[in-house]
């Protein structure tokens, strides 16, 4: 199954990346402006090739990559995470997500039951994430994914973190799980629940049984992957997920902003109560 090959490849690439010798080619220089981006791409491709990424994958993946200014604007402007809980819920349409989410739970009862049996995660927090991230798959972003991830790897603010995401994206391109033309959210998030590339590699799950992981076109894959992510972050079947309860720590792994974590817990609770 391609899912198994994807995970095995992830382990191999991670091990290779961790085991690089001290004499490996130095990482390309980061910048907080667009200056030097094209030169950085050339240098990064050389580094990635030296680290075992095939030239054909690199040429295909970087064919249309440009410095993505909307990505930098979004990265510098995440002001909603500083709002109070009530203001955040209003801004993100929390009550509308609860109302629509209850219908989504009823309409997809068999899917959520299967996911809970397999991963131990109930419908509520999954629906909360699905609704807040993309309006239940209605808006997944318009930014060129490879450009977004490359721009953030080049940017000095979180270079190491997004360099790892870029290597994961290259792996997904090489495996055929990510089109070089794919578009998504401003930070390179993919699909209906907005997974960064490394999370697709680590937690992507085939929820509909077709032998591949499609985070964009398959709600079953996106939701099963989200449950697998929470399980991978310590979710305990049957335990509570409100602040102070055991599974809130797993929710905290989804997003570093406390107000976002609280919103997932609250929306999920309202949906699971019905």
């Amino acid at each position: 199954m391609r899912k198994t090959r994807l995970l095995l490849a992830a382990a191999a690439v991670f091990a290779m990346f961790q085991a690089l010798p001290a004499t490996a080619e130095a990482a390309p220089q980061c910048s907080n402006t667009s200056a030097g981006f094209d030169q950085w791409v050339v240098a990064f491709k050389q580094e990635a090739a030296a680290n075992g990424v095939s030239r054909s994958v690199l040429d295909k993946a970087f064919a249309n990559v440009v410095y993505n200014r909307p990505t930098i604007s979004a990265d510098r402007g995440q002001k909603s995470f500083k709002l109070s809980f009530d203001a955040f819920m209003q801004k993100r349409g929390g009550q509308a997500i609860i109302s629509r989410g209850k219908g989504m739970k009823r309409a997809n009862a068999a899917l959520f039951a299967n996911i809970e049996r397999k991963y131990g995660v109930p419908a509520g927090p999954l629906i909360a994430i699905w609704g807040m991230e993309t309006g239940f798959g209605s808006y997944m972003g318009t930014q060129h994914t490879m450009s977004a991830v490359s721009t953030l790897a080049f940017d000095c603010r979180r270079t190491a973190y997004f360099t790892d995401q870029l290597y994961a994206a290259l792996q997904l391109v090489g495996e055929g799980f990510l089109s070089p033309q794919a578009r998504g959210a401003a930070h390179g998030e993919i699909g209906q629940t907005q997974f960064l590339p490394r999370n697709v590699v680590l937690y992507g799950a085939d929820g509909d049984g077709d032998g591949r992981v499609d985070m964009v076109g398959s709600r079953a894959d996106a939701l099963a992957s989200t449950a697998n992510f929470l399980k991978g972050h310590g979710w305990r079947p049957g335990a509570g997920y409100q602040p102070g309860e055991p599974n809130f720590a797993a929710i905290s792994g989804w997003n570093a902003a406390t107000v976002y974590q609280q919103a997932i817990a609250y929306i999920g609770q309202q949906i699971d109560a019905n």
Side-chain angles (χ1 to χ4, degrees):
M1 182 181 287
R2 297 189 70 191
K3 168 64 176 162
T4 302
R5 293 202 304 272
L6 178 63
L7 291 176
L8 289 174
V13 169
F14 182 75
M16 175 192 70
F17 191 67
Q18 292 294 96
L20 289 175
T23 56
E25 189 170 340
Q29 183 67 42
C30 71
S31 173
N32 287 320
T33 71
S34 62
F37 180 74
D38 292 342
Q39 292 84 351
W40 177 88
V41 168
V42 172
F44 178 82
K45 288 173 67 176
Q46 292 173 343
E47 176 201 85
N51 290 340
V53 182
S54 78
R55 289 284 184 181
S56 62
V57 168
L58 289 166
D59 289 343
K60 181 167 60 174
F62 281 96
N64 297 302
V65 164
V66 297
Y67 185 83
N68 203 54
R69 296 183 188 280
T71 288
I72 295 299
S73 295
D75 191 59
R76 305 294 192 263
Q78 300 182 67
K79 297 178 181 178
S80 66
F81 293 154
K82 299 178 182 179
L83 296 173
S84 68
F85 175 77
D86 289 342
F88 183 82
M89 284 285 290
Q90 183 174 6
K91 184 175 181 63
R92 300 299 288 259
Q95 291 304 317
I97 292 171
I98 292 169
S99 178
R100 190 176 173 197
K102 291 176 180 179
M104 286 292 188
K105 182 180 177 181
R106 290 191 297 270
N108 297 276
L111 171 61
F112 286 114
N114 287 337
I115 289 174
E116 185 166 8
R117 277 193 296 270
K118 185 168 184 178
Y119 301 103
V121 182
L126 302 178
I127 293 172
I129 290 169
W130 189 24
M132 283 202 294
E133 292 288 354
T134 66
F136 306 102
S138 64
Y139 183 76
M140 288 178 268
T142 60
Q143 301 305 313
H144 184 243
T145 298
M146 287 302 304
S147 291
V149 180
S150 297
T151 297
L152 290 168
F154 171 66
D155 187 62
C156 290
R157 194 165 86 87
R158 290 185 284 175
T159 302
Y161 180 79
F162 278 100
T163 296
D164 178 61
Q165 297 296 336
L166 183 52
Y167 271 99
L170 290 171
Q171 181 181 333
L172 294 173
V173 170
E175 288 283 327
F177 285 87
L178 178 66
S179 166
Q181 288 77 45
R183 291 184 176 272
H187 288 77
E189 302 97 331
I190 299 164
Q192 296 194 34
T193 54
Q194 301 286 268
F195 267 39
L196 285 168
R198 180 59 67 195
N199 287 334
V200 178
V201 170
L202 293 175
Y203 303 109
D206 177 13
D208 57 18
D210 68 352
R212 60 175 287 110
V213 177
D214 180 3
M215 301 294 291
V216 175
S218 171
R219 66 176 52 176
D221 288 5
L223 293 166
S225 299
T226 306
N228 195 32
F229 175 97
L230 293 173
K231 180 181 178 181
H233 284 74
W235 189 278
R236 291 165 46 187
Y241 58 83
Q242 296 307 296
E245 295 181 325
N247 286 329
F248 190 74
I251 289 176
S252 299
W254 183 263
N255 191 293
T258 300
V259 70
Y260 200 108
Q261 300 160 11
Q262 293 169 338
I264 292 173
Y266 177 80
I267 292 171
Q269 182 183 57
Q270 298 303 305
I271 292 170
D272 278 338
N274 290 268

